[in-house]
Amino acid sequence: MIEQRRVPAAEADLASKGKPAPVPKFLELLAARDFERLGGSLTSDAHARFLLPHGLEEYDGRDAIVARIRSWFGSASVFDLAASTEDKVGVRHRISWRFNVVRDGSRQVIEQLVYLDLGPQGIQRIDLLCSGFLAEPGVAAGPTQVFDAGDMGCADGLAQEFRR
């Protein structure tokens, strides 16, 4: 099931009151790029493994984990949640998301699949698989230049040349 979500302000406020954010709130806080509250959903000694296109990265502690996530999404001038799913696999929570972003003037799409393990104080473990930032389908990689000859009558001029 794919659904699109926006972050209701009242729900995001719950995470700021010192309570660990439930799993659905993790995605809502990420979509809002509320990195402070996102960090509040993790235990202080949380562990993350990120399988990225260039290889595996591991982080210990909420600050290091959130700093890495912020490095991906914090500077985007456009950051839209295009699709997401949530499910449980045994005791693990499975979330996927796809964001359309604009970074450094480039339109991109990124998809990530995450498994979360919860403890009494919040999210203890994150295992993430990332597609990488990819050019959006149908969007030119660079700027497109168009020449408009306007009313120069080129077609008429060429036709006259061929008649001679």
Side-chain angles (χ1 to χ4, degrees):
M1 173 180 191
I2 296 178
E3 58 187 73
Q4 187 169 357
R5 295 189 170 188
R6 295 284 178 224
V7 181
E11 290 182 14
D13 285 341
L14 291 175
S16 68
K17 296 187 172 36
K19 298 177 186 174
V23 171
K25 304 288 187 266
F26 183 88
L27 178 56
E28 292 171 2
L29 295 170
L30 177 62
R33 290 190 286 182
D34 189 340
F35 300 112
E36 184 178 325
R37 290 182 182 158
L38 185 70
S41 70
L42 305 174
T43 62
S44 61
D45 63 344
H47 179 75
R49 296 185 310 167
F50 299 146
L51 184 55
L52 308 175
H54 69 268
L56 179 66
E57 295 180 4
E58 294 193 51
Y59 297 91
D60 288 312
R62 77 167 58 113
D63 293 340
I65 295 167
V66 171
R68 185 59 172 125
I69 294 170
R70 182 189 306 260
S71 76
W72 296 328
F73 304 128
S75 67
S77 60
V78 173
F79 190 69
D80 291 324
L81 180 62
S84 68
T85 63
E86 297 176 4
D87 204 354
K88 281 190 82 172
V89 179
V91 297
R92 302 192 90 190
H93 296 266
R94 179 193 175 280
I95 306 173
S96 69
W97 52 74
R98 181 177 305 143
F99 288 106
N100 294 318
V101 301
V102 174
R103 297 182 328 152
D104 302 323
S106 174
R107 296 178 56 91
Q108 302 167 327
V109 62
I110 184 170
E111 184 171 288
Q112 296 176 324
L113 171 66
V114 176
Y115 291 94
L116 303 174
D117 294 341
L118 300 181
Q121 301 301 313
I123 297 168
Q124 293 180 316
R125 182 181 181 99
I126 300 174
D127 291 316
L128 177 144
L129 173 63
C130 181
S131 68
F133 287 91
L134 305 169
E136 277 192 25
V139 176
T144 302
Q145 295 184 4
V146 177
F147 176 74
D148 182 4
D151 252 352
M152 294 178 63
C154 291
D156 291 337
L158 284 174
Q160 289 174 2
E161 280 295 315
F162 284 116
R163 279 186 241 153
R164 290 185 188 172

